[in-house]
Amino acid sequence: MKLSELPYRTAAIVERVEDDMPNDAIARRLRELGFVQGERVEVMAAGPVAAEPLLVQVGFTRFALRRSEAARVRVAMNAATLAEAVA
C-alpha cells in the first residue's frame, strides 16, 4: 500500500521508496529523511486544503509531505512486521 493511502494514526512499516527515474532526487531525499525499509511510519494528520500536506511521523521525527511524495513510499501494515520493528 502507498503511504498516502494509509489511514490516519495507523502504524505501518516502510517497505521501500519507489524511484521514478534513475538517480531520482526525491526518492533519495525521502531515504535520507529516514523512509527506509523496516522503519515504523504513521500518518498523523492532513492539511485543511485538499488534505495537503500530510503530517507523517517516521521513527521519532515528523515531516510534512505532499501526497505525491507520500505515494512513492510503499508500506505494510502486517502485525508481525510491526512487532519485529518494535523489538
Side-chain angles (χ1 to χ4, degrees):
M1 128 184 304
K2 297 175 183 177
L3 177 60
S4 59
E5 300 168 345
L6 187 67
Y8 299 159
R9 300 288 184 161
T10 302
I13 298 297
V14 174
E15 291 183 324
R16 67 183 182 279
V17 175
E18 296 182 337
D19 292 272
D20 281 352
M21 63 185 92
N23 201 19
D24 187 340
I26 293 173
R28 185 178 60 239
R29 183 67 179 144
L30 287 168
R31 290 185 197 101
E32 290 171 351
L33 291 173
F35 293 90
V36 294
Q37 184 177 14
E39 192 66 43
R40 185 182 184 279
V41 66
E42 187 172 341
V43 177
M44 307 304 290
V49 179
E52 290 270 1
L54 295 174
L55 177 61
V56 177
Q57 182 166 335
V58 59
F60 297 106
T61 308
R62 293 181 177 184
F63 300 98
L65 296 181
R66 294 180 184 97
R67 284 192 169 273
S68 62
E69 295 165 340
R72 301 172 83 174
V73 180
R74 292 291 180 165
V75 299
M77 293 177 34
N78 184 324
T81 305
L82 285 171
E84 289 176 17
V86 173

